[in-house]
Amino acid sequence: MKNINLKRLIATLGASAMISTGLVVAVAAPAQAAEPVCVTDAKTSTITCDGKLSNGAAYKTMVPSNYGGTFYFWQHGIRPSYPYPGYTVPKGVEQMAPTSVNHKIDTTKSMLTLGYGLASYDCSSTGLHGWNTSDCVEMLNELVTITKARISIQKTIVYGASMAGAILTPFIEKYPNAADAVGILAGVTPSINNELKSGCDMLYIFSVFFDPTIKGCTAMGTKGVPGHYAVLGDFAKVVTLLTQWSKDSGSLPLAYPAALATSGIPQRSALLLAGLIAGLPTKSANFDGISTSALVPEQSINATLAVLQNAGELLGTAYFGGQAVSEVVGAGFYDNTKTDFAALLSDADLGRFNLGLSGDDAINGMLATLAASPRVTGDATALAKVAALDKSKFDTSKPVVLLSNEADRLVLPGNTPLYLNKARAVYESKLAAWRSKFKAATTTSQASALLKSKPIWNTVAMYAMTPETYTKFTAAGLPDTTAAISPSGVGHESFTKDQLMLWVRTLASSAKTGRVPSSGVMAANMAGVVNLNTDPDYQPNELKYQD
């Protein structure tokens, strides 16, 4: 998923302007796949080829002069189909290899220098983007197939970021011989419904406590340009709130609903409650969740400001991603008639953030209000479709290497342990069945044959961590959001070059051997990279919803 330029969006976004603005979208006609046009760089001798897939979508390959036989196929994340302030719809291949927004890094040159071949494509189908994950699976397979027909490839790696997790996971299950290793960077673990429900929950809570005209996920479902502007108009209301809070840190008392209008509970307490219910990280680019000052006297206030800083990305994703999903499954994919919001808060969070939530009476009052508020009833057909979206078995035997941030504000870090838990359950089931067969073997030849087919655990996860503290304050004690952000562990698809290149090299070695490195090798490799987690027991907070 692409990062939202929130500052630019805030500066230019207006609901009335968006609704009145016209938009013409040119949809490219499908074309027959043809031989690409290739050019050799005079300085580096790298051969770059530009071509079109059979549906007309652009693709590109790059082969360096020292090519060694390993080829990486990049899968990008979600791209909205229509423009909005700060975002332009792609017109072709935008990215050839992993990049980092925070660190302004593009690994293309580094990967070519190591002798890796690179390929990427623009996953647009019928001329549009969106949550076209099933189309992407087929387009990626076409790209791999036609590239292998042109270029001698010894080891194939499919890897990608964000929405790519919902493409690569079913891809390797449908086409198990298409690749030798899979890499998922800050990626969604199917189904997106798990995280989407949390985003919809947060928007619903905003409608209860901050602006009753916010429609949230009920605004989604109209196809095409009208649907695009409908969600932009609703998001403008959220942007208005975020803009005000960026100035006053949510210090104004709640004005909604009537039962809480005289309670004196500050808006930031309801914002923190919404963030905790959704599972939003309590660390952000500038806020470590624990540092204090004269004007930030308690850790939970720092965490509240982190939630505020993270909210724009998550809610922008909920709107644009949710609209893209709704164009696939239909309107009404969100239902909270049976949601127990209180149960989504852990006792640990209630204790740690008690002051930021304004104490027990305020917490109980807000939760009681949520419990009594009118709920959203979804459409049965849409609910069934979204639950089945990008269905995966998590049963690939290929090595899978995951890399995520401790405090990703967009694709929540709980996606990674969800992948591990699903894959581990399949592995343990396979292992139990194998042990039963091995125990029943009656001959040496039977036992020997079974030893060759013993299941192996072939998934590894790496986490980029933040330093313990990194919040900076002005001389007056105010948080300084103009200071340098955390060097690691925050943002979306944002990693240091060393972290990204270790991920890339781990994929290469895994493709070569057919299995991920041993825990000892991984620990040694990660120890050499600053801010990569080396604690084998570490796990970020899990998603609030897990199918």
Side-chain angles (χ1 to χ4, degrees):
M1 298 182 185
K2 266 196 157 182
N3 287 302
I4 297 169
N5 188 332
L6 189 58
K7 290 183 179 179
R8 183 174 177 183
L9 191 61
I10 289 172
T12 59
L13 192 57
S16 59
M18 289 185 299
I19 293 171
S20 63
T21 300
L23 179 65
V24 177
V25 179
V27 178
Q32 294 296 318
E35 286 297 308
V37 176
C38 300
V39 176
T40 302
D41 187 279
K43 292 183 178 180
T44 66
S45 296
T46 295
I47 301 172
T48 300
C49 299
D50 290 284
K52 300 283 187 180
L53 298 176
S54 58
N55 70 347
Y59 75 85
K60 180 180 290 188
T61 63
M62 300 180 75
V63 180
S65 59
N66 62 334
Y67 172 59
T70 298
F71 225 95
Y72 287 76
F73 291 82
W74 177 256
Q75 174 64 60
H76 65 67
I78 192 170
R79 302 287 189 265
S81 293
Y82 310 105
Y84 57 81
Y87 170 76
T88 302
V89 181
K91 296 180 180 179
V93 178
E94 292 185 316
Q95 183 180 2
M96 287 301 298
T99 60
S100 174
V101 176
N102 288 351
H103 299 277
K104 297 179 174 59
I105 292 168
D106 184 339
T107 62
T108 301
K109 184 177 179 180
S110 296
M111 293 183 68
L112 290 171
T113 299
L114 291 173
Y116 299 137
L118 304 179
S120 185
Y121 75 110
D122 177 23
C123 185
S124 60
S125 47
T126 65
L128 300 173
H129 295 81
W131 201 263
N132 54 343
T133 48
S134 59
D135 290 339
C136 293
V137 168
E138 302 309 321
M139 294 167 72
L140 177 59
N141 183 59
E142 181 182 356
L143 176 61
V144 172
T145 301
I146 63 178
T147 304
K148 286 182 175 180
R150 285 197 306 112
I151 300 168
S152 175
I153 298 176
Q154 297 173 13
K155 296 297 177 183
T156 301
I157 296 166
V158 291
Y159 69 141
S162 198
M163 183 183 75
I167 298 166
L168 299 177
T169 306
F171 169 84
I172 198 63
E173 294 172 11
K174 185 172 184 179
Y175 300 106
N177 297 319
D180 300 291
V182 179
I184 300 175
L185 182 77
V188 169
T189 292
S191 163
I192 186 60
N193 191 38
N194 291 313
E195 180 163 337
L196 194 54
K197 282 193 289 188
S198 287
C200 292
D201 281 352
M202 197 167 182
L203 290 173
Y204 169 78
I205 295 171
F206 270 44
S207 74
V208 172
F209 291 128
F210 307 128
D211 182 349
T213 70
I214 290 175
K215 295 180 180 179
C217 291
T218 64
M220 303 163 194
T222 302
K223 290 190 175 184
V225 176
H228 176 67
Y229 281 128
V231 297
L232 276 174
D234 209 58
F235 185 41
K237 300 174 185 179
V238 172
V239 170
T240 298
L241 292 168
L242 296 174
T243 303
Q244 181 60 38
W245 292 334
S246 69
K247 298 174 182 177
D248 64 16
S249 299
S251 59
L252 294 176
L254 288 174
Y256 305 100
L260 294 179
T262 60
S263 66
I265 299 172
Q267 293 176 354
R268 63 170 169 257
S269 291
L271 171 64
L272 177 59
L273 183 80
L276 294 174
I277 286 174
L280 201 59
T282 53
K283 293 183 178 183
S284 67
N286 291 108
F287 299 102
D288 54 36
I290 59 174
S291 291
T292 59
S293 72
L295 296 178
V296 183
E298 208 275 335
Q299 292 182 349
S300 65
I301 297 176
N302 188 304
T304 304
L305 296 173
V307 168
L308 170 57
Q309 196 169 53
N310 287 333
E313 289 286 351
L314 180 72
L315 297 181
T317 302
Y319 274 109
F320 303 126
Q323 171 61 14
V325 168
S326 74
E327 295 217 20
V328 177
V329 304
F333 63 84
Y334 174 63
D335 185 296
N336 65 8
T337 54
K338 297 180 180 179
T339 302
D340 182 352
F341 289 105
L344 296 173
L345 289 166
S346 70
D347 290 340
D349 280 349
L350 289 173
R352 178 186 171 192
F353 301 111
N354 190 273
L355 182 59
L357 293 167
S358 295
D360 292 341
D361 289 345
I363 294 169
N364 292 333
M366 289 187 288
L367 290 177
T369 298
L370 279 177
S373 296
R375 297 302 181 95
V376 175
T377 301
D379 175 80
T381 300
L383 289 169
K385 287 182 177 179
V386 75
L389 204 59
D390 309 318
K391 207 68 176 178
S392 301
K393 299 177 182 178
F394 299 88
D395 64 352
T396 182
S397 61
K398 303 294 183 179
V400 178
V401 185
L402 311 169
L403 174 60
S404 59
N405 273 323
E406 173 193 3
D408 192 324
R409 64 186 182 269
L410 201 157
V411 174
L412 299 178
N415 277 277
T416 297
L418 179 61
Y419 188 103
L420 291 171
N421 291 342
K422 286 176 173 286
R424 176 71 71 175
V426 173
Y427 161 71
E428 290 180 349
S429 177
K430 287 182 177 180
L431 186 61
W434 179 88
R435 284 173 173 163
S436 178
K437 291 181 179 179
F438 188 78
K439 185 177 180 180
T442 57
T443 66
T444 302
S445 60
Q446 287 178 338
S448 297
L450 283 168
L451 285 173
K452 296 178 182 179
S453 62
K454 183 179 180 180
I456 60 171
W457 174 239
N458 219 7
T459 303
V460 66
M462 297 186 286
Y463 298 97
M465 310 296 289
T466 68
E468 183 177 1
T469 60
Y470 54 87
T471 299
K472 300 294 188 296
F473 297 96
T474 66
L478 288 169
D480 186 0
T481 55
T482 66
I485 66 174
S486 172
S488 174
V490 299
H492 180 58
E493 294 185 43
S494 294
F495 301 89
T496 67
K497 184 175 181 179
D498 286 345
Q499 290 167 351
L500 287 174
M501 293 309 296
L502 176 59
W503 180 60
V504 166
R505 291 194 301 272
T506 302
L507 282 167
S509 66
S510 298
K512 183 178 180 179
T513 64
R515 57 194 308 167
V516 298
S518 68
S519 57
V521 171
M522 284 302 305
N525 290 342
M526 289 188 292
V529 177
V530 176
N531 291 321
L532 268 187
N533 174 66
T534 56
D535 179 1
D537 296 323
Y538 171 77
Q539 178 177 294
N541 291 333
E542 294 188 343
L543 296 177
K544 297 294 182 174
Y545 297 100
Q546 300 182 45
D547 58 8

